[in-house]
Amino acid sequence: MIDFFSDVQNLGLSMLTALFAFTLWLLRTNRLDAHITVRWLFVELIAIALLAMWKWLPVFGYTSGLADRELILILVIGAFVFAAILILDILVLLSKQARQIKTLAQELALLRQRTDVVEDYRMSK
Amino acid sequence: MTDISSKILIIVPSHNEEANLPGLLDEIFKTGADVVVINDASSDNTEQVARDKGIQVLSLPVNLGIGGGVQTGFMYAVRNNYDIAVQLDGDGQHDPSLLAKVTAPVISGEVDCVIGSRYLPSDKDENYKTPVLRRLGMHFSTGILKLASGLVIHDTTSGYRALNRGALEYFVKCYPTDHPEAEALLMLQQAGFRIREVGIKMRTRNNGESLFTFWKAAFYPLRVIIGFIGVFSHPWQGNKK
């Protein structure tokens, strides 16, 4: 049983590490905003730490009493990774739109300034 | 090479600085340089205060933070054919009378970017009191910048900077968003631009509050690391040509 638990834990850690690496890859390829990435990597590191220390957490005593702790662990990891991938997908979209909004806001500010200059010139004539 | 007839623009990024701007703009007028105020979606009368002084204002419809604001100023400088742009914060902490000192190495063509530094060992500002959190964040970014690139900059968070045309064109293409100072230095260094610090005295803020809050300071080290990873992993940023 303990060996099976270790296998599940190792599988979970591998999945979370892969997710961590995927997040860094999204940053590298400029798909994910750096400031969103900061928060997200923080959440992933906490998840990795929780899973690595699962045996020593109070929740382990509770799940072991249910005699299905491995199943619960698998479900928790599976749910986390599924939610994480969904959230990452949304964050990539948000990052892209944030970049577009930034560009639009800058161009709008520059255009307004040019319009003001032209208006002032026309008024002075 | 830039010469003494260089066209200089002072960029003043401002967010809710209606109380600090009038005095600062009066001081800037004395330098004779052109000036543009970046109104970063202020909720006060920052825009009107600048307009009343006859200053060009770039008014952003949404708050982009210091990085997005300053980059807008760089875009303005490039499109209006300025040779040198000087970033000078709207809170009045940067003394415009030091403009000649900050721009001199860029004008002579010795370097591409000059940082006005409070902590240069040979010309330290002994009177300036840095808040503890900011000091910690700055030591961290100084250390990691040195570790990552070998570049030794004593005041990585200083916003008093002068850039030549090449550096401006580079930053128009890409500039970091929040707390961009240390990351921008690494970008310049990686792209082959030359950077130098000159000693300056900085004043304390008269009105308003710093945007560098407790939580921003707490996340600052992580942001710097992520920003540096981003710089090292974007190959297209690596060449100033």
Side-chain angles (χ1 to χ4, degrees), chain B residues 15-20 44 90-91 93 204-211:
Chain B
H15 177 71
N16 293 341
E17 298 289 3
E18 64 175 4
N20 291 314
D44 66 2
D91 58 12
Q93 287 188 285
T204 50
R205 167 187 273 274
N206 290 327
N207 302 286
E209 289 179 356
S210 170
L211 296 175

Side-chain angles (χ1 to χ4, degrees), chain A residues 24 27-30 34-35 37-39 41-42 101-102 105-110 112-114 116-117, chain B residues 47 51 56-62 64 68 71-72 75-76 79 175 177-178 222-223 226 229 233-234:
Chain A
L24 283 179
L27 172 74
R28 275 178 61 97
T29 52
N30 224 9
H35 302 293
T37 313
V38 171
R39 289 167 206 164
L41 289 178
F42 191 63
I101 288 170
K102 179 185 156 193
Q106 289 176 322
E107 290 297 339
L108 181 61
L110 289 161
R112 275 179 60 186
Q113 185 271 336
R114 283 190 71 86
D116 289 345
V117 169
Chain B
E47 180 176 1
R51 286 195 194 283
Q56 294 296 331
V57 181
L58 297 174
S59 218
L60 293 163
V62 289
L64 296 184
Q71 192 187 30
T72 312
M75 291 163 84
Y76 178 86
R79 290 181 191 188
Y175 193 70
T177 47
D178 206 9
L222 201 51
R223 283 177 193 272
I226 295 296
I229 291 173
S233 54
H234 293 154

Side-chain angles (χ1 to χ4, degrees), chain A residues 36-54:
Chain A
I36 291 173
T37 313
V38 171
R39 289 167 206 164
W40 194 238
L41 289 178
F42 191 63
V43 170
E44 287 173 355
L45 283 174
I46 288 174
I48 289 171
L50 282 177
L51 188 59
M53 297 185 297
W54 185 262

Side-chain angles (χ1 to χ4, degrees), chain B:
Chain B
M1 160 113 35
T2 317
D3 61 36
I4 50 169
S5 60
S6 299
K7 207 175 153 192
I8 298 175
L9 174 73
I10 297 180
I11 299 167
V12 186
S14 305
H15 177 71
N16 293 341
E17 298 289 3
E18 64 175 4
N20 291 314
L21 264 187
L24 177 68
L25 294 176
D26 286 340
E27 288 180 272
I28 292 174
F29 283 140
K30 291 177 192 164
T31 67
D34 291 349
V35 55
V36 64
V37 169
I38 316 296
N39 171 37
D40 195 7
S42 299
S43 55
D44 66 2
N45 289 320
T46 296
E47 180 176 1
Q48 198 52 49
V49 164
R51 286 195 194 283
D52 289 346
K53 291 279 184 187
I55 301 285
Q56 294 296 331
V57 181
L58 297 174
S59 218
L60 293 163
V62 289
N63 184 270
L64 296 184
I66 183 74
V70 168
Q71 192 187 30
T72 312
F74 294 157
M75 291 163 84
Y76 178 86
V78 168
R79 290 181 191 188
N80 290 280
N81 299 315
Y82 285 94
D83 302 306
I84 294 169
V86 180
Q87 179 190 335
L88 205 149
D89 289 352
D91 58 12
Q93 287 188 285
H94 299 151
D95 185 352
S97 67
L98 300 171
L99 185 73
K101 188 179 183 183
V102 173
T103 53
V106 179
I107 291 173
S108 64
E110 293 167 57
V111 293
D112 304 296
C113 170
V114 172
I115 316 291
S117 173
R118 292 159 282 187
Y119 311 111
L120 198 64
S122 57
D123 194 4
K124 202 170 179 178
D125 183 359
E126 302 287 356
N127 298 323
Y128 187 79
K129 299 280 180 281
T130 314
V132 177
L133 278 176
R134 196 179 184 100
R135 203 184 316 153
L136 284 173
M138 205 194 57
H139 283 312
F140 179 82
S141 57
T142 300
I144 199 167
L145 184 65
K146 188 179 175 185
L147 195 70
S149 66
L151 183 67
V152 179
I153 298 290
H154 299 89
D155 195 353
T156 50
T157 59
S158 170
Y160 203 163
R161 297 174 176 202
L163 300 160
N164 69 4
R165 176 87 187 178
L168 285 173
E169 287 174 353
Y170 178 70
F171 277 149
V172 163
K173 287 184 274 184
C174 184
Y175 193 70
T177 47
D178 206 9
H179 300 305
E181 292 85 6
E183 201 177 319
L185 289 176
L186 181 65
M187 285 171 67
L188 283 178
Q189 198 259 1
Q190 290 294 302
F193 290 99
R194 300 157 298 166
I195 305 167
R196 182 189 293 174
E197 281 183 290
V198 297
I200 58 158
K201 306 280 180 239
M202 217 173 273
R203 306 179 291 203
T204 50
R205 167 187 273 274
N206 290 327
N207 302 286
E209 289 179 356
S210 170
L211 296 175
F212 203 69
T213 59
F214 175 81
W215 289 110
K216 283 194 174 179
F219 276 102
Y220 183 72
L222 201 51
R223 283 177 193 272
V224 171
I225 291 172
I226 295 296
F228 278 25
I229 291 173
V231 173
F232 281 121
S233 54
H234 293 154
W236 64 272
Q237 289 180 1
N239 193 339
K240 66 178 175 180
K241 304 293 176 194

Side-chain angles (χ1 to χ4, degrees), chain A residues 32-92:
Chain A
L32 201 57
D33 180 85
H35 302 293
I36 291 173
T37 313
V38 171
R39 289 167 206 164
W40 194 238
L41 289 178
F42 191 63
V43 170
E44 287 173 355
L45 283 174
I46 288 174
I48 289 171
L50 282 177
L51 188 59
M53 297 185 297
W54 185 262
K55 272 188 190 175
W56 295 279
L57 296 176
V59 70
F60 181 75
Y62 174 71
T63 54
S64 63
L66 296 175
D68 281 329
R69 60 176 185 266
E70 287 79 16
L71 179 64
I72 291 172
L73 191 56
I74 289 169
L75 287 175
V76 168
I77 295 166
F80 180 83
V81 170
F82 179 69
I85 288 170
L86 277 183
I87 294 169
L88 271 178
D89 188 45
I90 293 166
L91 291 181
V92 167

